[in-house]
Amino acid sequence: MFHGLNNGSPIFGGKLDVMKPDLLRGIAVFTEVARLKSVSRAAAALEMPKSTVSRRVSMLEAEVGLRLLKRTTKKIELTDEGQAYFAQCQQILEAVENAHEGLLGSRVEASGHLRVAMTPDFALRLVKTLPEFRARHPKMLLEFDFTARSVDPLTEHCDIAIHIGQLVDSGLTAYKLTDVVSQLYAAPSYLAGRGAIATPHELSEHACIVARPHTGEALATWDLRRGRERLLVKVESGLVLNSIGVIQRLAIAGAGIALLPEDLCREEVAAGRLALVLKGWRATALPIHALTATRFLPARTRVFLDYLRDALGSI
């Protein structure tokens, strides 16, 4: 039933029917502590008192007869035995979760309050498909926090946080949604009479609209690639913004050249409101992840993650 596990392991003692009632709970708690390397963060993720988390881990260590964690005042590390046990426990929990979902998935309806943090620009990708999702899940209450800052679902009042860009090691569970590729665009009215732009180096001679969310500097570096070619182009602008949506509107109005996501510009190009500049040159793709405090998710969170993958995969 549990592929890749040794039936003689201390978890099962060779038979499924000898598993003690609290053993699976202990495994789940230990796995969360091992993943987050913190009793406090595991307690928050599991919504349990720290004392209960510590006690369950101690009981599990007594059950298997081995020390699983090395505890200090500053951090928690896995022992060699704990690392091997952690790998097996992850497989067990995934198998149990899959079996449980297989039985209940057809009759458990997603409901309740779901809080999602994302940038307003990311939300633009969901405008067309969100009404259909709401129609399929009328018992869900969706609350969106539109913010440009990074949100931590572990410490903030949030179930899902959308992160654009490279991830850092945070102890959060990350679900890859898609990649964003950006290209250079400008309004035909801006390009008229200026002649074709042949190389990225010529961008310094043009008005550029720069996205710089964390500083007030006008000088930015655009990392552009074409096949194996790569150029770091410094551009200067009198327009510095932290909203892709506003940058796009300024580009449409003829304010200059902007580096914008392809998926947000297809309709504008088809309608003639924007034109592609330096065809073939693209910015380095940025990954988009959905972050959660734990991988043990209620139905409402799982269905919304599935919706995000489908919505982003169709654009």
Side-chain angles (χ1 to χ4, degrees), residues 133-267:
F133 176 82
R134 285 285 301 120
R136 291 202 308 267
H137 302 286
K139 293 186 178 181
M140 284 181 61
L141 170 60
L142 294 174
E143 178 184 344
F144 293 98
D145 177 14
F146 295 137
T147 176
R149 69 180 182 85
S150 296
V151 176
D152 184 354
L154 196 60
T155 59
E156 301 186 53
H157 201 49
C158 172
D159 298 301
I160 298 174
I162 303 301
H163 180 86
I164 302 175
Q166 299 301 323
L167 293 174
V168 297
D169 187 9
S170 62
L172 298 171
T173 300
Y175 300 87
K176 178 69 175 291
L177 299 177
T178 189
D179 290 301
V180 173
V181 177
S182 295
Q183 295 193 82
L184 296 164
Y185 298 91
S189 60
Y190 172 84
L191 297 172
R194 296 175 183 266
I197 302 175
T199 70
H201 297 293
E202 296 176 31
L203 291 170
S204 60
E205 302 171 8
H206 287 265
C208 295
I209 311 169
V210 174
R212 297 285 285 175
H214 302 300
T215 75
E217 299 175 5
L219 190 65
T221 300
W222 283 347
D223 186 354
L224 302 176
R225 300 168 186 262
R226 183 178 65 180
R228 295 185 179 181
E229 294 180 83
R230 182 186 181 190
L231 289 175
L232 299 177
V233 181
K234 293 191 178 298
V235 294
E236 191 167 0
S237 173
L239 289 171
V240 182
L241 304 98
N242 68 346
S243 169
I244 295 298
V246 176
I247 290 174
Q248 183 190 53
R249 285 166 175 76
L250 285 168
I252 291 171
I257 300 173
L259 191 61
L260 295 167
E262 289 179 340
D263 61 283
L264 294 182
C265 293
R266 290 192 189 110
E267 290 186 3

